[in-house]
Amino acid sequence: MEKKEQLYEGKAKKVYATEDPELVIVSYKDDATAFDGTKKGTIRGKGAVNNRMSNFLMGKLAEAGIPTHVVKELNDRETVVKKVRIVPLEVIIRNVSAGSFAKRYGVEEGIPFDEPTFEFSYKNDDLHDPLLNTSHALALKLATREEIDTIRGMALKVNEVLKEFFAGCGVRLIDFKLEFGRLSDGTIVLADEISPDTCRFWDAKTGEKLDKDRFRRDLGSVEEAYQEMMRRVFGGQA
Ligand code: TMP
Ligand code: ASP
């Protein structure tokens, strides 16, 4: 399968057409942004880490019965995926207080929740991805009630599978962001990526941050954290 014209360039990935109208190729970049694209940088090797880790995790999720967009990894940075129309919702699941949750509700980071939280925000950098509830999403026609129910069920299942998988790697899954897409027939599938860019990973023993917060918060050792997560996930196979 070969790349044809570039269809889109996002902050972390490029998307190319293929000869098949139902398939596209995503190419992961080393570019990193934060705070709606206002902070910019490069994380060397990030594209390859995110591509390989996301494909591996989505493979695990597919085995657990969650439909995903992944079709075939082509090389370190590029993957064939099903072409979707992205549902413009950033779906966030949290197991432990951190980030915007801690800030918004005035609590410290690191408080475990009895049950995971589910929230979504409107995927729109110009508006700073505002938090939405279901009735807002319906009013804005971002998704149907049925789609939102499907997305909520799938996101909570993803959390169960990933929490257990990462526990086996000595990593606490604090929170993460998912995006979903619609196939040409309207079926909802898990899309975008699952990587240190889109999750918070804390070392289970030391609490050390092993994700993009190292870049967002200028903590240093950013590349090293991505490589460490690669070793944790792939073990001897990386
Ligand atoms: P938050 O605490 O800043 O709302 O982030 C929650 C989770 O979502 C965290 O794992 C990082 C991820 N995330 C993204 O993937 N993209 C984003 O634009 C933001 C703000 C967060
Ligand atoms: N990637 C997001 C942005 O640039 C933010 C983040 O992940 O913190 O807006």
PDB file of all heavy atoms in Angstrom, residues 195-222:
ATOM      1  N   SER A 195      -1.114   6.687  23.555  1.00  0.00           N
ATOM      2  CA  SER A 195       0.347   6.809  23.642  1.00  0.00           C
ATOM      3  C   SER A 195       0.705   7.698  24.827  1.00  0.00           C
ATOM      4  O   SER A 195      -0.188   8.253  25.476  1.00  0.00           O
ATOM      5  CB  SER A 195       0.844   7.464  22.338  1.00  0.00           C
ATOM      6  OG  SER A 195       0.454   8.831  22.342  1.00  0.00           O
ATOM      7  N   PRO A 196       1.991   7.903  25.088  1.00  0.00           N
ATOM      8  CA  PRO A 196       2.360   8.836  26.176  1.00  0.00           C
ATOM      9  C   PRO A 196       1.917  10.282  25.897  1.00  0.00           C
ATOM     10  O   PRO A 196       1.912  11.108  26.809  1.00  0.00           O
ATOM     11  CB  PRO A 196       3.885   8.735  26.230  1.00  0.00           C
ATOM     12  CG  PRO A 196       4.202   7.397  25.639  1.00  0.00           C
ATOM     13  CD  PRO A 196       3.176   7.196  24.551  1.00  0.00           C
ATOM     14  N   ASP A 197       1.526  10.588  24.632  1.00  0.00           N
ATOM     15  CA  ASP A 197       0.966  11.911  24.344  1.00  0.00           C
ATOM     16  C   ASP A 197      -0.446  12.051  24.896  1.00  0.00           C
ATOM     17  O   ASP A 197      -0.903  13.168  25.162  1.00  0.00           O
ATOM     18  CB  ASP A 197       0.864  12.143  22.824  1.00  0.00           C
ATOM     19  CG  ASP A 197       2.126  12.709  22.208  1.00  0.00           C
ATOM     20  OD1 ASP A 197       3.200  12.581  22.817  1.00  0.00           O
ATOM     21  OD2 ASP A 197       2.037  13.272  21.086  1.00  0.00           O
ATOM     22  N   THR A 198      -1.150  10.936  24.990  1.00  0.00           N
ATOM     23  CA  THR A 198      -2.594  10.996  25.262  1.00  0.00           C
ATOM     24  C   THR A 198      -2.993  10.327  26.585  1.00  0.00           C
ATOM     25  O   THR A 198      -4.186  10.220  26.868  1.00  0.00           O
ATOM     26  CB  THR A 198      -3.383  10.344  24.110  1.00  0.00           C
ATOM     27  OG1 THR A 198      -3.049   8.943  24.059  1.00  0.00           O
ATOM     28  CG2 THR A 198      -3.080  10.986  22.765  1.00  0.00           C
ATOM     29  N   CYS A 199      -1.997   9.834  27.321  1.00  0.00           N
ATOM     30  CA  CYS A 199      -2.278   9.185  28.610  1.00  0.00           C
ATOM     31  C   CYS A 199      -1.361   9.785  29.671  1.00  0.00           C
ATOM     32  O   CYS A 199      -0.289  10.292  29.343  1.00  0.00           O
ATOM     33  CB  CYS A 199      -1.926   7.695  28.563  1.00  0.00           C
ATOM     34  SG  CYS A 199      -2.761   6.717  27.311  1.00  0.00           S
ATOM     35  N   ARG A 200      -1.759   9.655  30.945  1.00  0.00           N
ATOM     36  CA  ARG A 200      -0.800   9.896  32.033  1.00  0.00           C
ATOM     37  C   ARG A 200      -0.394   8.544  32.592  1.00  0.00           C
ATOM     38  O   ARG A 200      -1.264   7.743  32.968  1.00  0.00           O
ATOM     39  CB  ARG A 200      -1.399  10.769  33.145  1.00  0.00           C
ATOM     40  CG  ARG A 200      -1.505  12.221  32.763  1.00  0.00           C
ATOM     41  CD  ARG A 200      -1.728  13.150  33.956  1.00  0.00           C
ATOM     42  NE  ARG A 200      -1.642  14.541  33.508  1.00  0.00           N
ATOM     43  CZ  ARG A 200      -2.695  15.252  33.110  1.00  0.00           C
ATOM     44  NH1 ARG A 200      -3.908  14.758  33.175  1.00  0.00           N
ATOM     45  NH2 ARG A 200      -2.527  16.491  32.672  1.00  0.00           N
ATOM     46  N   PHE A 201       0.921   8.321  32.604  1.00  0.00           N
ATOM     47  CA  PHE A 201       1.492   7.078  33.118  1.00  0.00           C
ATOM     48  C   PHE A 201       2.414   7.430  34.271  1.00  0.00           C
ATOM     49  O   PHE A 201       3.346   8.233  34.087  1.00  0.00           O
ATOM     50  CB  PHE A 201       2.359   6.406  32.037  1.00  0.00           C
ATOM     51  CG  PHE A 201       1.635   5.985  30.781  1.00  0.00           C
ATOM     52  CD1 PHE A 201       2.113   6.361  29.526  1.00  0.00           C
ATOM     53  CD2 PHE A 201       0.510   5.170  30.841  1.00  0.00           C
ATOM     54  CE1 PHE A 201       1.477   5.943  28.357  1.00  0.00           C
ATOM     55  CE2 PHE A 201      -0.126   4.746  29.671  1.00  0.00           C
ATOM     56  CZ  PHE A 201       0.360   5.135  28.435  1.00  0.00           C
ATOM     57  N   TRP A 202       2.164   6.859  35.452  1.00  0.00           N
ATOM     58  CA  TRP A 202       3.069   7.070  36.595  1.00  0.00           C
ATOM     59  C   TRP A 202       3.683   5.732  36.973  1.00  0.00           C
ATOM     60  O   TRP A 202       2.972   4.714  37.065  1.00  0.00           O
ATOM     61  CB  TRP A 202       2.312   7.635  37.803  1.00  0.00           C
ATOM     62  CG  TRP A 202       1.754   9.025  37.615  1.00  0.00           C
ATOM     63  CD1 TRP A 202       1.842   9.831  36.513  1.00  0.00           C
ATOM     64  CD2 TRP A 202       0.994   9.766  38.589  1.00  0.00           C
ATOM     65  NE1 TRP A 202       1.194  11.024  36.724  1.00  0.00           N
ATOM     66  CE2 TRP A 202       0.658  11.011  37.987  1.00  0.00           C
ATOM     67  CE3 TRP A 202       0.565   9.513  39.894  1.00  0.00           C
ATOM     68  CZ2 TRP A 202      -0.088  11.982  38.664  1.00  0.00           C
ATOM     69  CZ3 TRP A 202      -0.184  10.483  40.564  1.00  0.00           C
ATOM     70  CH2 TRP A 202      -0.493  11.706  39.951  1.00  0.00           C
ATOM     71  N   ASP A 203       4.987   5.739  37.206  1.00  0.00           N
ATOM     72  CA  ASP A 203       5.637   4.512  37.668  1.00  0.00           C
ATOM     73  C   ASP A 203       4.939   4.038  38.951  1.00  0.00           C
ATOM     74  O   ASP A 203       4.723   4.828  39.871  1.00  0.00           O
ATOM     75  CB  ASP A 203       7.130   4.780  37.936  1.00  0.00           C
ATOM     76  CG  ASP A 203       7.838   3.518  38.401  1.00  0.00           C
ATOM     77  OD1 ASP A 203       7.824   3.247  39.626  1.00  0.00           O
ATOM     78  OD2 ASP A 203       8.377   2.808  37.550  1.00  0.00           O
ATOM     79  N   ALA A 204       4.631   2.737  38.997  1.00  0.00           N
ATOM     80  CA  ALA A 204       3.827   2.213  40.115  1.00  0.00           C
ATOM     81  C   ALA A 204       4.573   2.317  41.445  1.00  0.00           C
ATOM     82  O   ALA A 204       3.949   2.488  42.497  1.00  0.00           O
ATOM     83  CB  ALA A 204       3.429   0.765  39.845  1.00  0.00           C
ATOM     84  N   LYS A 205       5.898   2.231  41.410  1.00  0.00           N
ATOM     85  CA  LYS A 205       6.672   2.267  42.666  1.00  0.00           C
ATOM     86  C   LYS A 205       7.040   3.683  43.067  1.00  0.00           C
ATOM     87  O   LYS A 205       6.819   4.094  44.187  1.00  0.00           O
ATOM     88  CB  LYS A 205       7.962   1.444  42.505  1.00  0.00           C
ATOM     89  CG  LYS A 205       7.739  -0.045  42.508  1.00  0.00           C
ATOM     90  CD  LYS A 205       8.952  -0.773  43.118  1.00  0.00           C
ATOM     91  CE  LYS A 205       8.765  -2.285  43.018  1.00  0.00           C
ATOM     92  NZ  LYS A 205       9.196  -2.821  41.703  1.00  0.00           N
ATOM     93  N   THR A 206       7.616   4.437  42.105  1.00  0.00           N
ATOM     94  CA  THR A 206       8.201   5.733  42.465  1.00  0.00           C
ATOM     95  C   THR A 206       7.253   6.902  42.196  1.00  0.00           C
ATOM     96  O   THR A 206       7.492   8.012  42.676  1.00  0.00           O
ATOM     97  CB  THR A 206       9.482   5.988  41.644  1.00  0.00           C
ATOM     98  OG1 THR A 206       9.100   6.084  40.255  1.00  0.00           O
ATOM     99  CG2 THR A 206      10.483   4.855  41.813  1.00  0.00           C
ATOM    100  N   GLY A 207       6.228   6.683  41.375  1.00  0.00           N
ATOM    101  CA  GLY A 207       5.332   7.785  41.004  1.00  0.00           C
ATOM    102  C   GLY A 207       5.902   8.675  39.903  1.00  0.00           C
ATOM    103  O   GLY A 207       5.268   9.661  39.511  1.00  0.00           O
ATOM    104  N   GLU A 208       7.089   8.321  39.402  1.00  0.00           N
ATOM    105  CA  GLU A 208       7.709   9.134  38.346  1.00  0.00           C
ATOM    106  C   GLU A 208       6.791   9.230  37.132  1.00  0.00           C
ATOM    107  O   GLU A 208       6.169   8.241  36.735  1.00  0.00           O
ATOM    108  CB  GLU A 208       9.036   8.486  37.930  1.00  0.00           C
ATOM    109  CG  GLU A 208       9.842   9.348  36.980  1.00  0.00           C
ATOM    110  CD  GLU A 208      11.050   8.603  36.387  1.00  0.00           C
ATOM    111  OE1 GLU A 208      11.244   7.421  36.719  1.00  0.00           O
ATOM    112  OE2 GLU A 208      11.761   9.214  35.588  1.00  0.00           O
ATOM    113  N   LYS A 209       6.718  10.429  36.547  1.00  0.00           N
ATOM    114  CA  LYS A 209       5.868  10.637  35.373  1.00  0.00           C
ATOM    115  C   LYS A 209       6.578  10.122  34.120  1.00  0.00           C
ATOM    116  O   LYS A 209       7.732  10.491  33.868  1.00  0.00           O
ATOM    117  CB  LYS A 209       5.548  12.128  35.214  1.00  0.00           C
ATOM    118  CG  LYS A 209       4.680  12.690  36.334  1.00  0.00           C
ATOM    119  CD  LYS A 209       4.382  14.142  36.081  1.00  0.00           C
ATOM    120  CE  LYS A 209       3.610  14.847  37.175  1.00  0.00           C
ATOM    121  NZ  LYS A 209       3.315  14.171  38.411  1.00  0.00           N
ATOM    122  N   LEU A 210       5.860   9.296  33.349  1.00  0.00           N
ATOM    123  CA  LEU A 210       6.446   8.680  32.149  1.00  0.00           C
ATOM    124  C   LEU A 210       5.594   9.023  30.924  1.00  0.00           C
ATOM    125  O   LEU A 210       5.250   8.147  30.133  1.00  0.00           O
ATOM    126  CB  LEU A 210       6.526   7.155  32.343  1.00  0.00           C
ATOM    127  CG  LEU A 210       7.449   6.691  33.480  1.00  0.00           C
ATOM    128  CD1 LEU A 210       7.288   5.189  33.738  1.00  0.00           C
ATOM    129  CD2 LEU A 210       8.906   7.019  33.149  1.00  0.00           C
ATOM    130  N   ASP A 211       5.247  10.295  30.773  1.00  0.00           N
ATOM    131  CA  ASP A 211       4.340  10.705  29.693  1.00  0.00           C
ATOM    132  C   ASP A 211       4.604  12.157  29.316  1.00  0.00           C
ATOM    133  O   ASP A 211       5.549  12.771  29.804  1.00  0.00           O
ATOM    134  CB  ASP A 211       2.884  10.512  30.152  1.00  0.00           C
ATOM    135  CG  ASP A 211       2.620  11.305  31.430  1.00  0.00           C
ATOM    136  OD1 ASP A 211       2.757  12.543  31.386  1.00  0.00           O
ATOM    137  OD2 ASP A 211       2.348  10.694  32.481  1.00  0.00           O
ATOM    138  N   LYS A 212       3.721  12.684  28.495  1.00  0.00           N
ATOM    139  CA  LYS A 212       3.910  14.020  27.929  1.00  0.00           C
ATOM    140  C   LYS A 212       3.885  15.140  28.965  1.00  0.00           C
ATOM    141  O   LYS A 212       4.311  16.265  28.653  1.00  0.00           O
ATOM    142  CB  LYS A 212       2.843  14.266  26.853  1.00  0.00           C
ATOM    143  CG  LYS A 212       3.088  15.459  25.969  1.00  0.00           C
ATOM    144  CD  LYS A 212       2.024  15.546  24.886  1.00  0.00           C
ATOM    145  CE  LYS A 212       1.957  16.908  24.272  1.00  0.00           C
ATOM    146  NZ  LYS A 212       0.763  17.018  23.396  1.00  0.00           N
ATOM    147  N   ASP A 213       3.439  14.872  30.189  1.00  0.00           N
ATOM    148  CA  ASP A 213       3.540  15.909  31.232  1.00  0.00           C
ATOM    149  C   ASP A 213       4.986  16.353  31.415  1.00  0.00           C
ATOM    150  O   ASP A 213       5.241  17.498  31.816  1.00  0.00           O
ATOM    151  CB  ASP A 213       2.959  15.426  32.564  1.00  0.00           C
ATOM    152  CG  ASP A 213       1.468  15.750  32.705  1.00  0.00           C
ATOM    153  OD1 ASP A 213       0.937  16.513  31.876  1.00  0.00           O
ATOM    154  OD2 ASP A 213       0.848  15.230  33.654  1.00  0.00           O
ATOM    155  N   ARG A 214       5.964  15.503  31.112  1.00  0.00           N
ATOM    156  CA  ARG A 214       7.375  15.900  31.228  1.00  0.00           C
ATOM    157  C   ARG A 214       7.681  17.051  30.268  1.00  0.00           C
ATOM    158  O   ARG A 214       8.499  17.921  30.574  1.00  0.00           O
ATOM    159  CB  ARG A 214       8.326  14.718  30.962  1.00  0.00           C
ATOM    160  CG  ARG A 214       8.122  13.536  31.909  1.00  0.00           C
ATOM    161  CD  ARG A 214       9.371  12.693  32.021  1.00  0.00           C
ATOM    162  NE  ARG A 214      10.363  13.380  32.810  1.00  0.00           N
ATOM    163  CZ  ARG A 214      10.423  13.362  34.145  1.00  0.00           C
ATOM    164  NH1 ARG A 214       9.575  12.628  34.846  1.00  0.00           N
ATOM    165  NH2 ARG A 214      11.332  14.045  34.782  1.00  0.00           N
ATOM    166  N   PHE A 215       7.011  17.031  29.084  1.00  0.00           N
ATOM    167  CA  PHE A 215       7.160  18.126  28.114  1.00  0.00           C
ATOM    168  C   PHE A 215       6.295  19.325  28.526  1.00  0.00           C
ATOM    169  O   PHE A 215       6.792  20.462  28.601  1.00  0.00           O
ATOM    170  CB  PHE A 215       6.751  17.621  26.719  1.00  0.00           C
ATOM    171  CG  PHE A 215       6.588  18.698  25.690  1.00  0.00           C
ATOM    172  CD1 PHE A 215       7.696  19.260  25.057  1.00  0.00           C
ATOM    173  CD2 PHE A 215       5.314  19.159  25.337  1.00  0.00           C
ATOM    174  CE1 PHE A 215       7.532  20.262  24.095  1.00  0.00           C
ATOM    175  CE2 PHE A 215       5.153  20.155  24.387  1.00  0.00           C
ATOM    176  CZ  PHE A 215       6.262  20.705  23.762  1.00  0.00           C
ATOM    177  N   ARG A 216       5.014  19.068  28.847  1.00  0.00           N
ATOM    178  CA  ARG A 216       4.104  20.163  29.202  1.00  0.00           C
ATOM    179  C   ARG A 216       4.658  20.987  30.363  1.00  0.00           C
ATOM    180  O   ARG A 216       4.555  22.203  30.383  1.00  0.00           O
ATOM    181  CB  ARG A 216       2.732  19.621  29.631  1.00  0.00           C
ATOM    182  CG  ARG A 216       1.958  18.899  28.552  1.00  0.00           C
ATOM    183  CD  ARG A 216       0.511  18.601  28.999  1.00  0.00           C
ATOM    184  NE  ARG A 216      -0.174  17.748  28.052  1.00  0.00           N
ATOM    185  CZ  ARG A 216      -0.286  16.415  28.203  1.00  0.00           C
ATOM    186  NH1 ARG A 216       0.217  15.813  29.267  1.00  0.00           N
ATOM    187  NH2 ARG A 216      -0.907  15.706  27.280  1.00  0.00           N
ATOM    188  N   ARG A 217       5.269  20.274  31.342  1.00  0.00           N
ATOM    189  CA  ARG A 217       5.687  20.937  32.597  1.00  0.00           C
ATOM    190  C   ARG A 217       7.193  21.168  32.671  1.00  0.00           C
ATOM    191  O   ARG A 217       7.720  21.483  33.743  1.00  0.00           O
ATOM    192  CB  ARG A 217       5.237  20.078  33.788  1.00  0.00           C
ATOM    193  CG  ARG A 217       3.728  19.851  33.795  1.00  0.00           C
ATOM    194  CD  ARG A 217       3.261  18.992  34.948  1.00  0.00           C
ATOM    195  NE  ARG A 217       1.841  18.688  34.842  1.00  0.00           N
ATOM    196  CZ  ARG A 217       1.111  18.131  35.805  1.00  0.00           C
ATOM    197  NH1 ARG A 217       1.670  17.811  36.957  1.00  0.00           N
ATOM    198  NH2 ARG A 217      -0.169  17.895  35.615  1.00  0.00           N
ATOM    199  N   ASP A 218       7.902  20.953  31.551  1.00  0.00           N
ATOM    200  CA  ASP A 218       9.358  21.166  31.508  1.00  0.00           C
ATOM    201  C   ASP A 218      10.086  20.406  32.606  1.00  0.00           C
ATOM    202  O   ASP A 218      10.924  20.963  33.329  1.00  0.00           O
ATOM    203  CB  ASP A 218       9.687  22.668  31.614  1.00  0.00           C
ATOM    204  CG  ASP A 218       9.164  23.461  30.432  1.00  0.00           C
ATOM    205  OD1 ASP A 218       9.259  22.957  29.292  1.00  0.00           O
ATOM    206  OD2 ASP A 218       8.643  24.571  30.640  1.00  0.00           O
ATOM    207  N   LEU A 219       9.788  19.113  32.718  1.00  0.00           N
ATOM    208  CA  LEU A 219      10.407  18.303  33.773  1.00  0.00           C
ATOM    209  C   LEU A 219      11.727  17.660  33.332  1.00  0.00           C
ATOM    210  O   LEU A 219      12.415  17.055  34.160  1.00  0.00           O
ATOM    211  CB  LEU A 219       9.437  17.201  34.224  1.00  0.00           C
ATOM    212  CG  LEU A 219       8.096  17.682  34.793  1.00  0.00           C
ATOM    213  CD1 LEU A 219       7.177  16.496  35.092  1.00  0.00           C
ATOM    214  CD2 LEU A 219       8.303  18.515  36.060  1.00  0.00           C
ATOM    215  N   GLY A 220      12.055  17.767  32.036  1.00  0.00           N
ATOM    216  CA  GLY A 220      13.298  17.148  31.541  1.00  0.00           C
ATOM    217  C   GLY A 220      13.122  15.659  31.288  1.00  0.00           C
ATOM    218  O   GLY A 220      12.082  15.075  31.607  1.00  0.00           O
ATOM    219  N   SER A 221      14.164  15.031  30.685  1.00  0.00           N
ATOM    220  CA  SER A 221      14.155  13.591  30.381  1.00  0.00           C
ATOM    221  C   SER A 221      12.879  13.158  29.658  1.00  0.00           C
ATOM    222  O   SER A 221      12.282  12.131  30.001  1.00  0.00           O
ATOM    223  CB  SER A 221      14.310  12.741  31.655  1.00  0.00           C
ATOM    224  OG  SER A 221      15.490  13.089  32.318  1.00  0.00           O
ATOM    225  N   VAL A 222      12.475  13.953  28.666  1.00  0.00           N
ATOM    226  CA  VAL A 222      11.230  13.652  27.949  1.00  0.00           C
ATOM    227  C   VAL A 222      11.422  12.427  27.050  1.00  0.00           C
ATOM    228  O   VAL A 222      10.664  11.452  27.142  1.00  0.00           O
ATOM    229  CB  VAL A 222      10.786  14.867  27.104  1.00  0.00           C
ATOM    230  CG1 VAL A 222       9.460  14.569  26.431  1.00  0.00           C
ATOM    231  CG2 VAL A 222      10.662  16.115  27.972  1.00  0.00           C
TER     232      VAL A 222
END
